[in-house]
Amino acid sequence: MGPPPTTRERRLWIATALTLTAIYASIPFAGSLAASLRASGLLAPAFAALFVLAIAVTIGWSVRRASGPRPLWVALAVATVWGMLFVRLGVSAEERGHLFEYGLLALLVHELLRERRKIDRGGAAHPAVLAVLATAAFGWVDEAIQGVVPGRVYDLRDVGVNALAGVVAVASSVALRWATGRRERGTPRA
């Protein structure tokens, strides 16, 4: 057994568990909530506002973390990728919501695995790859649950969107970490 978890690792476990619980707990009523928002004309503006907020936080975090133009340019590139994905994915607004849910989940799992690796060198050898695989698995379980919930359907396309959200979120995190010059203690700069 490895070293005990740090306070940060415990917090990341809790945040990951709460996020996953919220995603799974929303399955029975997410469809009716989306229909209600759509009927009131608020679905698209709500997703657009959430998207703008996520991009603003990403750029603000990146610029604050380091000096020089590199963090800003990488943050703008990340924002562009997310923007193009959000606009051109070719799925409904409800399915675009998966980008936020599973993007957040992927970031939490990635940070959790990075923290474990930092304190236990025998921990996750490839946190980014494992985070994407875990996110894809959680997304597949989400769809499997939907397959048995009345009024919901199993959709293989959603499994792909969930996995894609994980890939883009983790790649964004890695790119922003590189741009801001953040690295783990004891590892050389790339």
Side-chain angles (χ1 to χ4, degrees), residues 4-94:
T6 63
T7 300
R8 182 170 189 266
E9 184 181 6
R10 280 194 287 281
R11 287 181 181 151
L12 286 165
W13 272 111
I14 291 167
T16 301
L18 289 173
T19 300
L20 192 57
T21 300
I23 290 170
Y24 289 167
S26 71
I27 291 171
F29 61 86
S32 59
L33 175 62
S36 176
L37 287 172
R38 178 179 282 113
S40 63
L42 294 175
L43 187 64
F47 279 113
L50 188 57
F51 174 74
V52 168
L53 176 65
I55 294 304
V57 167
T58 300
I59 292 173
W61 177 87
S62 300
V63 171
R64 187 179 64 94
R65 299 302 273 168
S67 60
R70 182 170 68 177
L72 178 60
W73 286 111
V74 172
L76 290 172
V78 165
T80 301
V81 168
W82 277 104
M84 295 307 291
L85 187 63
F86 191 75
V87 171
R88 301 187 75 190
L89 191 56
V91 297
S92 70
E94 292 94 332

Side-chain angles (χ1 to χ4, degrees), residues 94-106:
E94 292 94 332
E95 292 169 319
R96 286 187 192 131
H98 291 241
L99 296 175
F100 295 108
E101 295 170 340
Y102 285 92
L104 174 61
L105 185 63

Side-chain angles (χ1 to χ4, degrees), residues 37-179:
L37 287 172
R38 178 179 282 113
S40 63
L42 294 175
L43 187 64
F47 279 113
L50 188 57
F51 174 74
V52 168
L53 176 65
I55 294 304
V57 167
T58 300
I59 292 173
W61 177 87
S62 300
V63 171
R64 187 179 64 94
R65 299 302 273 168
S67 60
R70 182 170 68 177
L72 178 60
W73 286 111
V74 172
L76 290 172
V78 165
T80 301
V81 168
W82 277 104
M84 295 307 291
L85 187 63
F86 191 75
V87 171
R88 301 187 75 190
L89 191 56
V91 297
S92 70
E94 292 94 332
E95 292 169 319
R96 286 187 192 131
H98 291 241
L99 296 175
F100 295 108
E101 295 170 340
Y102 285 92
L104 174 61
L105 185 63
L107 291 174
L108 289 169
V109 171
H110 184 228
E111 285 302 308
L112 175 63
L113 294 171
R114 289 184 72 253
E115 183 69 15
R116 174 55 26 193
R117 184 174 184 200
K118 201 178 344 179
I119 62 173
D120 180 8
R121 285 295 175 190
H126 301 284
V129 173
L130 291 174
V132 168
L133 292 174
T135 302
F138 290 139
W140 180 77
V141 170
D142 179 343
E143 291 304 313
I145 293 169
Q146 288 184 51
V148 298
V149 170
R152 301 301 304 264
V153 296
Y154 176 88
D155 187 352
L156 194 56
R157 183 175 53 184
D158 281 354
V159 174
V161 171
N162 299 341
L164 180 62
V167 168
V168 176
V170 170
S172 298
S173 175
V174 169
L176 290 167
R177 190 172 303 283
W178 169 81

